[in-house]
Amino acid sequence: MKQVIAAALAVFMASPVVGQEQCGVRTELTAWLSEEYGETMQAAGIMPSGSVFETWANVETGTFTVLLTEGATSCMVIAGNGFARVDEDPAPQGERM
């Protein structure tokens, strides 16, 4: 599963964002996402570089935003519609997904 996620992230990170990448103070960007789109943090992880990868989404409307954060600065990497939460049991140990 981690390999699938890593591959998907590589594609998204290599894809250009419509317009220019928008960066700013994390607290301001996340407040804007909450107020403007009703998005809340759905997932987060620490990348090998130490940057934090966050997925914000509104599960009712399906909007989502992916942020990449270093220190107090976040950049919106990609945003879109059609977010869906997937709750799957992980593969049994030893099985590949």
Side-chain angles (χ1 to χ4, degrees):
M1 179 65 161
K2 287 182 182 179
Q3 292 170 331
V4 172
I5 292 172
L9 289 177
V11 170
F12 283 124
M13 297 299 277
S15 301
V17 176
V18 176
Q20 289 187 323
E21 190 174 79
Q22 297 179 356
C23 299
V25 177
R26 182 186 178 280
T27 55
E28 294 173 6
L29 282 177
T30 56
W32 180 76
L33 291 173
S34 294
E35 293 167 12
E36 200 67 27
Y37 295 98
E39 294 183 2
T40 58
M41 188 189 304
Q42 301 295 313
I46 300 174
M47 299 174 62
S49 66
S51 298
V52 178
F53 177 87
E54 301 173 60
T55 301
W56 286 67
N58 181 321
V59 295
E60 293 178 12
T61 66
T63 63
F64 70 90
T65 307
V66 174
L67 299 179
L68 185 61
T69 301
E70 291 187 23
T73 302
S74 291
C75 294
M76 291 188 284
V77 177
I78 193 166
N81 294 302
F83 177 82
R85 184 179 292 150
V86 179
D87 294 320
E88 292 184 4
D89 290 333
Q93 193 168 9
E95 287 187 31
R96 298 188 101 197
M97 296 185 83

